[in-house]
Amino acid sequence: MVDPVFVGLAVLTVGSAIIALETRELIYGAIGLAISMLGIAGFFLILDAPFVAMFQIAVYVGAVAVLLIFTVMLVRTQALFTTKEDKGRKAGGIVLMLFIMGGLGALLLASGLNSSNSFAAPPVNFMKIGQEMLTYYAPVLIVLGLVLAGSVIAALALARREDIVTEQEEGQQQE
Amino acid sequence: MTELIDFLIVSVALVAVGIYGIVVKRNAIRMLISIEIIVNAANLVVVAFSRSTGNVQGQVFALFSIAIAAAEVAVGLGLVIVAYRLYKEIDVAEFRSMRG
């Protein structure tokens, strides 16, 4: 009954999300996250949202994953390879995970949402997204651009080193 | 044929994995990865409901959410680099003071 493509994507997404958290080397974790995000983009394609899928690939796989990999390279140290977590916390985390999965899953299955033919409505034309964004949501789009610019400037300001003095400045100081 | 409930169950699994990561892991970068997983699960639910009800607002909201998450991860990684420079460590349990 369930689509095999869907099952494959689900296994890929959840599996690589677990791999992203459980691999010993952090850089494989970043790659696992990128593969998981690609799986989510595949779900968006199944849901007839190609524009959101393209945005997801561009932003998450193209920007966020690369940013993570660069950060892992910048902080590359021996401390990254030693996992400092006690067994009790890990067992507690697994119990919490299964509890959330069981609880929310049972809630969903009991909610009556599992009626057949739930995607009967026609798919959204992605030209409509552009129209909405440039008319009704135009102020939000402008604010979003400002937020992105502000966050990039903030990240640059945070990562800036003040203790490095360039040779030219040193020469000026000596004069 | 896939239904709305299938997407919701995948999303619940992703949220559970993300919460497990936040609770168990003490590595700042892995905690950021967990937050990203949770945000993506939320986006999946939003787009699935948008497809189910046939309105465009869900997809627009998902686009905004993706952009905000990208901004958040940029600032988060900047903070991780600053903390690494101060403590030579990205384990959050080692960040014992917030002094500069």
Side-chain angles (χ1 to χ4, degrees):
Chain A
M1 174 107 184
V2 180
D3 201 3
V5 177
F6 177 85
V7 175
L9 269 179
V11 171
L12 177 78
T13 307
V14 180
S16 55
I18 294 172
I19 286 173
L21 293 175
E22 286 301 328
T23 46
R24 187 165 291 271
E25 286 208 34
L26 204 44
I27 196 143
Y28 294 143
I31 294 169
L33 181 74
I35 295 172
S36 181
M37 304 293 108
L38 270 180
I40 299 270
F43 283 132
F44 290 162
L45 283 179
I46 292 179
L47 285 166
D48 297 317
F51 187 73
V52 186
M54 191 201 71
F55 202 76
Q56 167 94 5
I57 292 174
V59 172
Y60 270 114
V61 186
V64 171
V66 173
L67 201 60
L68 270 172
I69 289 171
F70 267 109
T71 310
V72 171
M73 285 173 170
L74 276 178
V75 300
R76 196 171 184 87
T77 167
Q78 206 58 39
L80 291 179
F81 302 109
T82 55
T83 49
K84 276 181 273 179
E85 57 195 30
D86 46 356
K87 293 269 185 269
R89 187 199 292 277
K90 191 162 190 174
I94 289 174
V95 168
L96 182 66
M97 178 173 77
L98 293 178
F99 183 72
I100 290 171
M101 241 187 232
L104 281 181
L107 198 67
L108 282 177
L109 289 175
S111 65
L113 278 170
N114 51 352
S115 63
S116 63
N117 210 5
S118 51
F119 289 149
V124 174
N125 186 1
F126 59 84
M127 285 170 70
K128 197 98 191 308
I129 298 174
Q131 284 175 0
E132 286 276 323
M133 268 203 171
L134 290 180
T135 54
Y136 187 72
Y137 289 106
V140 186
L141 200 63
I142 294 169
V143 171
L144 190 67
L146 289 175
V147 166
L148 277 175
S151 71
V152 168
I153 293 169
L156 286 176
L158 278 175
R160 185 169 160 268
R161 292 188 68 157
E162 280 154 2
D163 52 333
I164 295 180
V165 184
T166 58
E167 282 181 26
Q168 195 183 0
E169 286 175 9
E170 244 170 48
Q172 284 173 353
Q173 280 171 356
Q174 281 168 1
E175 285 166 15
Chain B
M1 188 61 204
T2 50
E3 298 294 341
L4 177 61
I5 193 83
D6 302 330
F7 291 96
L8 297 186
I9 286 171
V10 170
S11 172
V12 165
L14 280 177
V15 167
V17 170
I19 287 176
Y20 162 77
I22 287 185
V23 170
V24 173
K25 300 296 172 187
R26 280 291 159 265
N27 183 318
I29 295 180
R30 278 206 209 280
M31 292 173 88
L32 269 178
I33 290 178
S34 309
I35 293 171
E36 293 302 308
I37 291 172
I38 293 175
V39 169
N40 270 280
N43 282 341
L44 183 60
V45 169
V46 168
V47 176
F49 271 106
S50 157
R51 175 74 183 85
S52 172
T53 56
N55 64 356
V56 72
Q57 279 83 15
Q59 293 195 20
V60 175
F61 186 82
L63 292 178
F64 290 148
S65 165
I66 290 172
I68 292 291
E72 166 249 317
V73 80
V75 176
L77 288 175
L79 286 174
V80 166
I81 288 179
V82 172
Y84 173 71
R85 202 175 287 153
L86 287 177
Y87 297 97
K88 299 290 172 217
E89 180 72 68
I90 56 168
D91 197 323
V92 289
E94 303 292 326
F95 302 161
R96 297 208 185 279
S97 75
M98 286 301 226
R99 278 184 290 124

